Amino acid sequence: MIHTHPELFHRHENNPILTAANWSYPINSVFNPGAVLLEDGTTLLMCRVEDRRGHSHLCAARSTNGIDNWRIDSHPTLPADPEHFPEELWGIEDPRITHVPELESYAIVYTAYTRDGPGIALALTKEFVTFERYGLIMQPDDKDGALLPRRIDGQWALIHRPVNAPGAHMWISYSPDLRNWGNHKIMMQARKGAWWDANKIGLSPPPIETPQGWLVIYHGVRRTGSSSLYRLGLALFDINTPERCIKRGDEWMFGPEESYERHGDVDDAVFPCGYTIASDGDSIKMYYGAADSCIALATSSIRAMLEWLDNH
Ligand code: BMA
């Protein structure tokens, strides 16, 4: 495809890198993966897998290079558990994974699809085999949550996106124990009118810690006459006061262009929930769901993202 604009993220030539055909059990689609680089250098994706009832669970896929030769669990790695957690009645979706050194664990913040809409749930794991489930930590209607990797002023911090009548904005809340959340602050509002990020925005992957601040990839949802367009923008937040926005890009930096992003179960959606950063501390692999049907990869650099924010 010939681009009329400079590209910040570059799509991988193997895209889409994972589809339902890669699974050993029957599924409908696989998309919106959380991602981590394990200590041994393995890339682990927690993929959102939609089964053939329409309910989602999470399934781990591991690869040495983060591009191909994925080893995929032969069964759901983290299934919904409606027996113990009735909030997971209609499945679990869109995991964002944060490594939390203080807990010597990974925190998986995901969407629990409750009878009353989506809410935010938390599970901790050390090895992506066994999970300590905390259940729902934010009631519906709320999604697009991620935990910051360390406490801010002694408190854990969770970014999330409650939906209210006037719009859907990014909020941050604080907790002493990961269970009781308060001190709710608005972090960034959707714009209005014709903007690409009018009315509804949400965090995409967990924030990236940089010397300049928390670098955030967020999605904006533009309602059109026929459907919705999911695109990605950038913003930077203060390291010690993460609800304080320092910079926000005007233009989107990534949107549906290729056919696998434009056409699928949900047309015109690119939806990353995770990334890995190479040992150079700069090269970034962003993993995203494309058209709610498959998983794709695009690469960039943190330095280029910060420069882009300065120029846009
Ligand atoms: C959002 C989320 C995502 C999904 C996207 C496009 O609201 O539910 O899981 O990929 O819509 O359908």
Side-chain angles (χ1 to χ4, degrees), residues 31-32 48 93-94 143 161 200 230 266 269 271 292:
F31 52 113
N32 302 4
R48 170 178 172 189
E93 309 180 348
D94 301 356
K143 55 164 65 172
R161 202 285 306 275
K200 189 175 173 186
Y230 280 77
V266 176
F271 205 92
D292 281 12

Side-chain angles (χ1 to χ4, degrees), residues 62-306:
R62 294 170 176 83
S63 160
T64 308
N65 62 9
I67 298 168
D68 54 19
N69 291 317
W70 294 94
R71 303 178 299 280
I72 301 168
D73 281 359
S74 57
H75 56 273
T77 312
L78 185 62
D81 183 7
E83 203 176 308
H84 300 102
F85 300 97
E87 307 80 25
E88 300 185 354
L89 179 67
W90 289 329
I92 61 176
E93 309 180 348
D94 301 356
R96 274 81 167 190
I97 309 172
T98 305
H99 182 236
V100 186
E102 182 186 328
L103 303 174
E104 295 177 356
S105 294
Y106 298 95
I108 309 175
V109 174
Y110 58 92
T111 303
Y113 200 159
T114 83
R115 192 178 283 282
D116 296 304
I120 291 187
L122 168 69
L124 300 185
T125 186
K126 292 192 190 295
E127 52 349 47
F128 294 90
V129 177
T130 56
F131 300 89
E132 184 191 349
R133 302 171 92 119
Y134 280 62
L136 213 63
I137 55 170
M138 287 287 170
Q139 78 229 49
D141 205 324
D142 206 335
K143 55 164 65 172
D144 301 327
L147 190 71
L148 294 192
R150 54 184 171 78
R151 298 173 191 256
I152 306 285
D153 269 341
Q155 302 285 311
W156 298 109
L158 179 85
I159 301 173
H160 57 117
R161 202 285 306 275
V163 175
N164 304 300
H169 314 296
M170 282 168 56
W171 288 71
I172 190 165
S173 302
Y174 293 92
S175 169
D177 57 7
L178 295 173
R179 293 189 190 274
N180 299 283
W181 293 90
N183 196 12
H184 312 292
K185 303 246 166 69
I186 192 145
M187 201 174 165
M188 194 165 72
Q189 281 183 278
R191 285 186 264 222
K192 292 186 188 315
W195 282 95
W196 69 274
D197 56 353
N199 305 320
K200 189 175 173 186
I201 60 168
L203 179 73
S204 284
I208 303 164
E209 192 165 0
T210 76
Q212 285 85 341
W214 298 103
L215 179 58
V216 163
I217 302 175
Y218 72 100
H219 58 270
V221 189
R222 168 81 176 270
R223 280 267 157 79
T224 69
S226 54
S227 62
S228 296
L229 275 162
Y230 280 77
R231 301 185 181 116
L232 305 175
L234 287 182
L236 190 70
F237 296 84
D238 186 82
I239 277 288
N240 300 314
T241 317
E243 57 268 23
R244 197 170 76 77
C245 184
I246 304 170
K247 285 177 193 165
R248 179 180 188 171
D250 276 346
E251 300 177 7
W252 70 87
M253 59 89 179
F254 196 80
E257 290 178 10
E258 298 292 339
S259 62
Y260 55 87
E261 298 162 349
R262 298 223 52 209
H263 304 296
D265 279 1
V266 176
D267 286 353
D268 291 318
V270 289
F271 205 92
C273 290
Y275 53 77
T276 59
I277 296 168
S279 51
D280 62 7
D282 189 45
S283 310
I284 179 166
K285 286 192 173 85
M286 175 176 79
Y287 296 93
Y288 61 102
D292 281 12
S293 295
C294 58
I295 291 177
L297 165 64
T299 57
S300 186
S301 93
I302 295 174
R303 189 183 34 77
M305 291 162 77
L306 290 167

